[in-house]
Amino acid sequence: AEQGFGDAIQFIRYARLLKDRGARVIFDAFKDFEEISADFEDVDEVARDGPMPRFDYHIPLLSLPRIFGTELRSIPAHVPYVRVRASRSVRWEQAIAQTKKFKIGLVWAGNPKHVRDELRSISLRKLMPIAKIEGVQLYSLQKGARATDDIATCGFEIIDLGNHFATFCDTAAAITHLDLVISVDTSVAHLAGALAKPAWVLLSEPCDWRWLMRGSTTPWYPTMRLFRQAQRNRWDSVVDEVATALQDLVTAGKKPLFAASARDTSSACVTDDMIDAGAGNRSDALCRVDETRYGIIQYPPGDALAVSLQHYGEYRQAELSFMERFIRPGSWIVEAGCGVGAVSLFLAKAIGESGHLIAYEKNHVQYQRARQNLTANGIRNVTLLHRCLGSAQSGGPSDTGRPGTANSVDTLDDLRLSRLDWIRVAAVSSPAEVLAGASDTLWRLRPWLFVVVEDEAHVAEACGLARDHGYQLWRFQSPLFDPDNYNRRTENIFPDARAQGLLGVPEEVEIDVAIEGCTAVDPYTVL
């Protein structure tokens, strides 16, 4: 479990997807949440105080949507997925009056310690328009001293159930005997939705991400209806809208049920409007953040790197795995053109704490993202430079991402390094420029080379320079799609794309590892 009770209730639905793949699911629940956790249908065991039961894999609950590649149209919405024990059901059936009136449970406030509590909680007195409707019986599902005080001063009749609840199991049992739950954005709203009971949820502006930006329904809970603030902190219009909708039901003599309230509703309530509302949460100017094979990475959408990180949780992994076979812990590496730092994270971990990576990125925005990604992952063995790596002849303005500014060009020879084991040149850099500025370094330190190839025009130049410095070369090729990808996706979204690169090794080095997937290159033939 992670984050809040509502999050646990909402996302425990993914236990079924694990069980569908043959798993036995152990839920490490919050303290004071273990009892209701045992009533989640697809949880086989709840970890309680004491030694953790034996397990093979573990994952934070809210990472499961990423693992299963969830999109709006594939949200699992098989409700109900919370059981209510017969003994508890009988107890609360007796406690809730038998009446022909609409039995409505109210929740008007969330956890006062929540950082957004003042935005999402309201005063019980503000629900007076609901209480004035004839033909309804109100029940409080709220717990604590705050509830007691609000009920005493609200000015209308409401039966206090919440302060008699011992656990969420009692809350769930009581909800099953109500016709409708009206709640602000709290865990009780999630519980009602997970029980497939009609629930009306009052949302602040802006609301939490899970409710999207507009629309009155949600793909997470088929029996839920959303009522949204039109203006920040203005609840009166929301309550009036709820009261009008409730009055219409009472007048028509209808129960507030939804057609999509059965188990076969998985994603059935997703509409084009929801898709548009989901798209409204994104902007091409904003970065995504995903957990990947290399760590947590912030990156801009749009290019092949972004598509691959989002879908597979990795990029050009076959190429990196190939390099990893030769990189030794403690190595020193220079990376020209590190972008957002995805490969930098991989290299930093491959060389270990005793190694050192010097990463160059000339674009200011990409440099900032790389710095953020290295910091977020606790990487300490990288020197990140906002400069261009090239040759003395390539000096001049570099693309900093900030109009009117320019950085001079470093050469590898300028660095006068005492040790260098690898040079990796990314596709955004010119390999010929980098190698031309490293002549002394190549002869003096004899680092291995890996040049990412995306422009065939660069191949001949790179091969020629490597040949002139006494390097033997291999051409590396591999499909971009790896069936063993981090996210375990089976579909190939890069059917014709291949990662290509040049491996350069000093000719005096005897290769004692098979170079699979590579073709030896004759630099004279290439030229």
Side-chain angles (χ1 to χ4, degrees), residues 426-438:
V428 294
S429 298
S430 168
E433 295 282 356
V434 174
L435 297 180

Side-chain angles (χ1 to χ4, degrees), residues 106 108 122-132 137-142 145-160 239:
L106 294 183
W108 58 93
I122 63 177
S123 165
L124 178 58
R125 292 180 62 87
K126 285 186 175 293
L127 299 182
M128 179 70 78
I130 297 173
K132 289 182 177 180
Q137 177 63 63
L138 302 181
Y139 297 87
S140 167
L141 305 180
Q142 198 81 41
R146 183 179 186 178
T148 302
D149 294 342
D150 286 355
I151 291 171
T153 59
C154 68
F156 56 82
E157 179 188 356
I158 181 170
I159 298 173
D160 185 1
V239 175

Side-chain angles (χ1 to χ4, degrees), residues 321-328 422 448 472 474 503 505 509-518:
S321 297
F322 173 77
M323 288 186 63
E324 190 173 26
R325 294 164 55 194
F326 302 98
I327 294 175
R328 300 289 182 264
W422 279 87
W448 287 34
Q472 50 191 325
W474 285 265
L503 173 68
V505 181
V509 174
E510 183 177 345
I511 303 296
D512 57 359
V513 178
I515 306 183
E516 300 173 359
C518 290

Side-chain angles (χ1 to χ4, degrees), residues 290-309:
D290 279 307
E291 183 181 342
T292 72
R293 184 183 292 274
Y294 324 115
I296 186 168
I297 295 182
Q298 175 190 107
Y299 60 92
D303 61 7
L305 168 71
V307 172
S308 188
L309 287 179

Side-chain angles (χ1 to χ4, degrees), residues 110-126:
N111 183 349
K113 296 181 181 180
H114 192 282
V115 294
R116 298 185 73 247
D117 180 62
E118 64 178 14
L119 298 179
R120 66 176 188 164
S121 295
I122 63 177
S123 165
L124 178 58
R125 292 180 62 87
K126 285 186 175 293

Side-chain angles (χ1 to χ4, degrees), residues 281-431:
N281 282 310
R282 299 189 300 271
S283 167
D284 289 342
L286 299 178
C287 285
R288 286 183 58 90
V289 178
D290 279 307
E291 183 181 342
T292 72
R293 184 183 292 274
Y294 324 115
I296 186 168
I297 295 182
Q298 175 190 107
Y299 60 92
D303 61 7
L305 168 71
V307 172
S308 188
L309 287 179
Q310 179 181 348
H311 201 72
Y312 297 121
E314 61 188 33
Y315 182 58
R316 301 176 73 109
Q317 182 56 36
E319 172 188 299
L320 302 183
S321 297
F322 173 77
M323 288 186 63
E324 190 173 26
R325 294 164 55 194
F326 302 98
I327 294 175
R328 300 289 182 264
S331 295
W332 279 58
I333 300 176
V334 166
E335 182 186 13
C338 71
V340 299
V343 175
S344 305
L345 292 175
F346 161 80
L347 293 174
K349 293 176 182 178
I351 61 181
E353 293 182 0
S354 60
H356 197 82
L357 172 66
I358 303 173
Y360 276 82
E361 178 50 52
K362 64 180 180 179
N363 180 280
H364 177 70
V365 176
Q366 294 290 71
Y367 164 80
Q368 294 284 3
R369 291 165 178 157
R371 185 175 67 176
Q372 172 66 20
N373 288 331
L374 291 169
T375 301
N377 288 278
I379 302 300
R380 300 179 181 273
N381 59 347
V382 176
T383 298
L384 179 63
L385 298 173
H386 179 206
R387 299 174 68 82
C388 179
L389 190 63
S391 67
Q393 288 71 36
S394 62
S398 64
D399 175 16
T400 65
R402 294 180 296 176
T405 62
N407 288 345
S408 60
V409 176
D410 285 350
T411 72
L412 268 172
D413 288 344
D414 290 337
L415 298 182
R416 304 303 299 168
L417 297 172
S418 60
R419 176 181 178 181
L420 184 60
D421 301 287
W422 279 87
I423 301 172
R424 184 181 188 276
V425 185
V428 294
S429 298
S430 168

